[in-house]
Amino acid sequence: MKHILFAMVLVSLTTFGQAQPNPGNGNSVVSTYIYPSLTDPALTNFNDQHFVALTTNASARLNKLLLHLPGSGHEPWQATNFILTAASLGYHAISIKYQNVPTIATFCTINSDLDCFRSVTEENITGAFWADDDTNATKQVTLTDSITNRVVKLLTFLSTNALAADQDWNQFLGPDGIQWSKVAVSGHSQGGSCALMLTKMYAVDRAALFSTVDWIRVPTNDRPTWFAASGATPPERLYGFTHFEDFGGDNHEEQPTIWQDLGMTAFGPILRVENYALPFAGSHTLTTLLRPGSTKENGELEYHPAVIIDRAIPTNATGGVTWVPVWSYMLTNVSAPLAANLTLTTNSAGGRVLSWQGNSGFSSQFEHSRDLTNWLKLDLPAREVNAIMSLEIPPYLLDDEQRFFRLSRQALVTSPIPTAAGFHTDMSFVHGGIARNYFLKIPSNWTAATNWPVMIVLPGHGQSITEFASRQAELVGLADSEGFIVVFAEATAGIDSYKWFAFDDPHLTQPYVDDAAFLIALADQLKASGLNVNSNRLYLAGFSNGGSMTHYMASRTNHPFAAFAIMESGTASGTGFREPYDRLNPDAGINVAAQVPLPWQPRPVLLMNMATSVPWVFEGRAPIRGARENVARWTQANGFGGPVTNGLGIIGPPSTPFNTTSNWTVVGTARPRVAYDDIRPDHNWPTNLIANGWNANDALRFPYFTTQGTNSVDQRLPEWVRAIYPHSLSPDPAAPGKFVRVDSGTMTVEIWRTAPMNRTNEVIFVGLSDGGHQWPNAADKLPFNANVEVLRFFEAH
C-alpha cells in the first residue's frame, strides 16, 4: 500500500483541496506524501507522512532545498500553503516528520541546566544523547530518529526513486551528507528553534523562523545564551515572522530581544507587514496584528500558529492566502551585510572616538591609512555586539595632517569543508568569537576511499596566506603528486601586522589570541569532515613567526600532530606587548618575556636555519635563543640529551655521529639571489669584501646595525659561524644596488637517531650559509627546497 501511495505522486494542487498559493510567477507545482518508514524501515517512530513539493517548471528551479520543521505536535502537511509557495518559487521543498513532541518548553523553561534548550535542540538534530537532569524525560532522540538522518533518508529515497528521476534531489547530498550551503531552513515554534540551531552549526542559504521564542522562566527569566553565540550563518540570511499578540502577552519582550541577539534587528525595524508593501523596508523582523483564521477549543484566537499553519492563516479580501507575499520575501530577499556608518566624536578627555552600530554576526577591526591606498591594522579583530560600539583613536595616529579610518568586517561564518579537488581560497572558520581565514588544497586524485595525510602550514610575521601561498605555488602543486591535503592557516593581524601568539597566555592586561586552540579546533574540523583525514597523520609546519607557533604548538599537551617542520625560525622571546598594556600608548611599560615550554611529547622534527638570517640570529642574542639552542630543546624532549655549552659559550645540542657538510659552487643564472637587507655581513666586513674586489658603495649596503630596544646592535656574523659556513658573494649585475648573488655556499645536516635507520622521533637540523629569511623553494636555487623536503619528511612519519 505504501508503494502504491508513492506511485500516486506528482498530482495536481487541486487534490489537496486547499487554496492554491499564487506568488504571481505562474509556476505549477506537484507534491506528494511519503511515510518515513518507506525511506528507511528503521524509522517506525513518528511515522506520519513527510510532505514534498516541487515546481514542474524545471527552468524555474533554484537548485536549493527548503527544509521545513513543523512546531510541537504539528504535522508536515499543516503548513501546506507555505510549502507550495516555496515550491512555486523554485525550491525543492520538504516538510518532514520528526520527534516534535513533547515541547522543548516542557523540559527547559524551568531547569537548572541553563544549556537545556541548546542540548535538547542539538539532540533533535543529531541524535547525540543529552543526559538531562529530568529522570522522567521522554524526549530522548536516537541517531536513527534525528532530523539529520530523516532528511538524508528522504533525499536518498527521492534520489533513487524512478518516479522522481528527473527531479535532481541527489544534488543536496554529498560525501559529507547534506550539502547545507544549498539548503534554506524554516521552522515553526520548536521547529524554528531547530532551524535556528542548524544556522549555528552550518552555513545554510537562509532561515525563515516562525514564532520562534525559547525562554528560561526559572531560574534566570532570560533567553538562552546560545541565541547570541556566533554561528555559521550570518544574520543577513535570517528572517523572522511572529504574530504581535504571540509576544504581546508574557512574551512581550522576548521575541524582540531574541531577534536582537541574532543580529536581525540591524536590517530594519520590527514592522507590521499589513502596513507595508514589498520589500517591507528590508526588515528581517516581521509581525502582524491581523486576526487569525482559527480559534482554540476555549474560543481564544490562535496567534501562535497564525503566521504559517493553514487553519490559522488570515484570508485576504479574495479568499486567498494572506501571507504569500511575506513568505516569498523571506524565501527570496537578499540583504547585503550592513556597512558600518562611522561617527567621530570627542570624549571628555579630548580623545577622538569612532562609533558605529555593532552586529553580533561579525567580527571587525579598524584600519588606518594616510593615502587611502596603504592600509594598516589597528587593534586585533573582535566580535561585535548588537549595540553602539566605540573605540578611541590612539593619539600617535593623529599627529599627521590627515589620517583615514575604516572598519573592516568579516561575517562570523564557518565554511563547510568541500571534498571537490582544487585550491579553495575562500575558507573561514569561527573561533574565539572572530572569523579566521585559511586556504585548503585538496589533491586532484582525492577519493573518499583513501585516508589522507594533512599538512597545515603557518606563514611568517607580516604575511597573509595570500602572500605566502602565492610564493609557494610549488607546494600547492606538490600536494597533487605527493598525495597530501595542504592547509594554509592565517594569523590574526593587529598593530604589528599578521602575527601568531606563539607563547603561553601571560594573563596580564595585554591582548592574547589563543592560536593553539584555534589550530587544534581547525584540525578537529578537518578530521570530522568528509575529507577522510587520517587522524594519525596530521602535520604542522611553519615559517619564521609561523615556525615559532609550530615550536609552541608542540608544547601543548593536547595537540594532534604527528610531526613538525620549522623553517627559519626559533622560539618566541617576548610577547610583543608591554605591561601595563595601554592601547593608546603601546610603547609605554616594560617588555614581557614569552613562556614557551619544552615539547610535550617526543615527535619527529625537521628544523632549518640560515646562518646569515637577520630576524633569527643564528648564534643567538639574549633574549633570542640561537638556532642550535632551539634544536637542543628538541633533542632533550626526544631523549637524545639536553643542551650543552661549548668553549665559546654557545648553547647547543649534544654531538651526533650522523652529520654531513656539503659545499656548493654555482655559476650564471643558477646562482641564488638575495636582497642586501636580508643577509648579515661577515665578522670582518667591509674589508673582506673590498679585498675581494667589491666597491665600497656596494659593500656598505649590508645591514650593519639593527636596533634592539633603544640600543644599536652589531649585526656582523661571528667568526665561528662563518668558519662552519664559508661562502662567497658578488653584487648582482642585474640589480647591483639591491641584490647579491651567492657564488658558493655551505649546507650542514645533523641527525639525531637511536640507530642509523630508526627514524622514530628523529631530530634533523639543516644549516645553510645563505639564502635570506625565507621558506626556500625551487625558484631560490638553494640546495635545500623546503617544499620538497618537508613533504618527504612528513611522508616518512
Side-chain angles (χ1 to χ4, degrees):
M1 181 63 184
K2 292 177 181 176
H3 291 277
I4 295 174
L5 176 69
F6 189 75
M8 298 173 65
V9 180
L10 310 190
V11 294
S12 68
L13 285 174
T14 56
T15 302
F16 296 101
Q18 304 236 3
Q20 180 176 345
N22 181 16
N25 56 26
N27 291 327
S28 60
V29 173
V30 292
S31 58
T32 190
Y33 302 97
I34 302 172
Y35 285 105
S37 58
L38 188 60
T39 70
D40 181 353
L43 292 173
T44 55
N45 300 320
F46 302 92
N47 195 31
D48 296 317
Q49 295 162 321
H50 301 313
F51 181 53
V52 179
L54 179 70
T55 179
T56 58
N57 183 357
S59 64
R61 294 173 186 165
L62 301 173
N63 296 318
K64 295 179 182 180
L65 176 71
L66 175 74
L67 166 60
H68 179 69
L69 302 170
S72 300
H74 284 115
E75 300 298 334
W77 56 266
Q78 289 181 296
T80 292
N81 285 298
F82 173 69
I83 299 303
L84 297 180
T85 298
S88 68
L89 292 169
Y91 283 94
H92 287 62
I94 60 175
S95 179
I96 72 160
K97 181 61 181 179
Y98 68 102
Q99 191 167 333
N100 62 351
V101 291
T103 66
I104 299 179
T106 302
F107 305 106
C108 299
T109 55
I110 302 176
N111 197 308
S112 59
D113 184 350
L114 301 184
D115 280 336
C116 177
F117 278 103
R118 177 187 58 80
S119 299
V120 175
T121 305
E122 284 184 344
E123 186 176 287
N124 248 347
I125 293 170
T126 66
F129 177 72
W130 170 58
D132 57 74
D133 59 5
D134 182 355
T135 56
N136 298 314
T138 56
K139 182 77 168 181
Q140 302 294 347
V141 181
T142 65
L143 177 62
T144 299
D145 280 328
S146 67
I147 288 170
T148 301
N149 184 60
R150 286 170 174 260
V151 173
V152 169
K153 293 302 171 60
L154 176 58
L155 292 175
T156 302
F157 178 80
L158 291 168
S159 301
T160 56
N161 194 286
L163 293 174
D166 62 343
Q167 296 176 8
D168 201 17
W169 292 94
N170 64 325
Q171 66 180 299
F172 307 115
L173 292 172
D176 307 334
I178 301 167
Q179 300 295 294
W180 290 107
S181 62
K182 295 183 176 183
V183 181
V185 294
S186 64
H188 172 238
S189 193
Q190 178 177 173
S193 297
C194 292
L196 182 57
M197 179 59 74
L198 285 168
T199 72
K200 301 291 187 180
M201 298 167 64
Y202 307 106
V204 300
D205 180 76
R206 70 178 57 232
L209 311 173
F210 298 95
S211 307
T212 300
V213 181
D214 289 346
W215 204 265
I216 304 170
R217 304 287 182 206
V218 176
T220 61
N221 191 31
D222 203 351
R223 69 275 201 195
T225 56
W226 73 269
F227 283 133
S230 61
T233 305
E236 64 267 17
R237 302 183 196 174
L238 308 182
Y239 295 82
F241 187 25
T242 301
H243 199 287
F244 184 82
E245 292 297 337
D246 192 31
F247 61 84
D250 291 339
N251 296 348
H252 181 66
E253 298 298 331
E254 296 176 7
Q255 182 71 92
T257 302
I258 289 169
W259 281 342
Q260 185 176 8
D261 275 351
L262 295 171
M264 295 162 63
T265 54
F267 298 89
I270 298 173
L271 55 80
R272 288 167 51 187
V273 294
E274 60 266 28
N275 294 337
Y276 289 80
L278 284 167
F280 302 112
S283 176
H284 287 221
T285 51
L286 309 175
T287 186
T288 182
L289 274 174
L290 292 184
R291 181 184 176 89
S294 64
T295 60
K296 302 176 185 177
E297 291 183 359
N298 63 4
E300 293 180 0
L301 292 169
E302 290 197 289
Y303 295 113
H304 191 58
V307 291
I308 191 168
I309 298 300
D310 297 324
R311 69 172 186 274
I313 296 171
T315 55
N316 58 27
T318 61
V321 179
T322 302
W323 303 141
V324 168
V326 181
W327 296 336
S328 300
Y329 168 77
M330 296 172 74
L331 293 174
T332 60
N333 184 64
V334 176
S335 294
L338 289 177
N341 295 317
L342 300 179
T343 59
L344 181 64
T345 56
T346 303
N347 62 22
S348 59
R352 306 306 301 276
V353 177
L354 291 165
S355 300
W356 73 103
Q357 172 62 51
N359 185 326
S360 63
F362 296 89
S363 57
S364 62
Q365 63 188 138
F366 273 102
E367 298 175 340
H368 59 94
S369 172
R370 290 189 178 97
D371 55 12
L372 292 176
T373 300
N374 299 302
W375 291 90
L376 301 174
K377 308 289 185 182
L378 189 48
D379 301 278
L380 290 163
R383 185 184 179 185
E384 296 188 4
V385 296
N386 296 311
I388 298 298
M389 300 185 67
S390 300
L391 200 68
E392 184 173 350
I393 301 172
Y396 66 85
L397 292 179
L398 299 175
D399 58 359
D400 304 308
E401 292 185 2
Q402 66 179 13
R403 181 80 64 161
F404 301 96
F405 293 86
R406 69 184 183 188
L407 187 67
S408 174
R409 278 178 147 175
Q410 187 168 353
L412 292 175
V413 173
T414 294
S415 304
I417 294 182
T419 54
F423 193 32
H424 304 273
T425 59
D426 57 351
M427 306 298 293
S428 63
F429 181 71
V430 177
H431 186 267
I434 58 177
R436 306 293 297 262
N437 299 315
Y438 67 98
F439 291 171
L440 173 64
K441 167 61 180 179
I442 301 176
S444 56
N445 59 341
W446 182 89
T447 170
T450 300
N451 276 139
W452 291 87
V454 174
M455 169 181 170
I456 299 179
V457 190
L458 311 182
H461 177 214
Q463 285 186 312
S464 67
I465 47 176
T466 299
E467 176 188 351
F468 185 78
S470 63
R471 174 171 167 74
Q472 304 306 334
E474 177 188 29
L475 178 58
V476 177
L478 286 170
D480 289 327
S481 59
E482 302 299 322
F484 266 77
I485 294 171
V486 177
V487 175
F488 297 88
E490 189 168 75
T492 53
I495 190 173
D496 198 20
S497 190
Y498 294 94
K499 187 175 181 179
W500 297 98
F501 285 71
F503 46 84
D504 284 342
D505 187 350
H507 297 290
L508 299 172
T509 62
Q510 61 188 263
Y512 185 79
V513 176
D514 196 342
D515 281 323
F518 157 63
L519 292 172
I520 291 170
L522 179 60
D524 287 343
Q525 190 199 33
L526 292 166
K527 289 189 291 185
S529 74
L531 288 175
N532 197 15
V533 168
N534 186 336
S535 59
N536 294 318
R537 299 195 64 201
L538 285 168
Y539 306 104
L540 186 65
F543 162 66
S544 190
N545 172 241
S548 298
M549 188 65 216
T550 306
H551 270 297
Y552 176 62
M553 192 74 243
S555 75
R556 293 294 288 259
T557 58
N558 56 345
H559 77 71
F561 300 105
F564 298 91
I566 301 168
M567 301 292 105
E568 250 296 277
S569 183
T571 48
S573 57
T575 66
F577 297 97
R578 294 171 178 259
E579 285 294 331
Y581 178 70
D582 182 357
R583 61 171 298 275
L584 299 181
N585 185 17
D587 291 332
I590 60 174
N591 291 320
V592 178
Q595 300 300 315
V596 184
L598 286 173
W600 164 49
Q601 287 184 335
R603 288 288 190 275
V605 62
L606 169 65
L607 306 101
M608 184 280 295
N609 283 88
M610 305 279 187
T612 49
S613 173
V614 176
W616 295 106
V617 183
F618 187 90
E619 69 276 13
R621 181 189 301 133
I624 300 173
R625 295 182 179 92
R628 297 186 63 77
E629 183 176 352
N630 283 304
V631 175
R633 289 166 52 88
W634 281 96
T635 59
Q636 179 178 347
N638 286 12
F640 300 112
V644 296
T645 303
N646 66 16
L648 297 173
I650 303 302
I651 300 173
S655 60
T656 171
F658 311 116
N659 61 76
T660 61
T661 299
S662 58
N663 302 102
W664 80 87
T665 301
V666 287
V667 296
T669 58
R671 286 177 287 190
R673 190 175 188 238
V674 186
Y676 275 95
D677 59 3
D678 207 12
I679 188 168
R680 297 164 61 200
D682 286 354
H683 59 96
N684 53 2
W685 170 91
T687 56
N688 65 319
L689 294 177
I690 294 173
N692 283 290
W694 285 61
N695 67 58
N697 287 335
D698 286 338
L700 291 172
R701 296 183 191 280
F702 291 93
Y704 179 14
F705 286 107
T706 186
T707 56
Q708 185 173 321
T710 58
N711 302 318
S712 293
V713 179
D714 189 336
Q715 282 279 80
R716 286 181 293 185
L717 203 66
E719 185 174 1
W720 72 266
V721 176
R722 185 53 68 207
I724 298 173
Y725 297 99
H727 74 156
S728 62
L729 306 176
S730 60
D732 185 347
K738 294 183 178 180
F739 295 96
V740 299
R741 296 181 303 187
V742 182
D743 300 317
S744 66
T746 306
M747 181 174 75
T748 63
V749 179
E750 298 172 79
I751 303 174
W752 287 262
R753 292 176 181 164
T754 56
M757 302 306 294
N758 186 353
R759 302 196 66 175
T760 303
N761 298 324
E762 66 181 343
V763 177
I764 301 178
F765 174 60
V766 177
L768 290 169
S769 60
D770 307 277
H773 183 57
Q774 61 184 315
W775 171 293
N777 57 34
D780 297 314
K781 304 174 183 178
L782 293 166
F784 180 87
N785 180 336
N787 290 327
V788 173
E789 299 300 334
V790 169
L791 281 173
R792 284 178 179 172
F793 178 76
F794 287 156
E795 284 174 355
H797 297 285

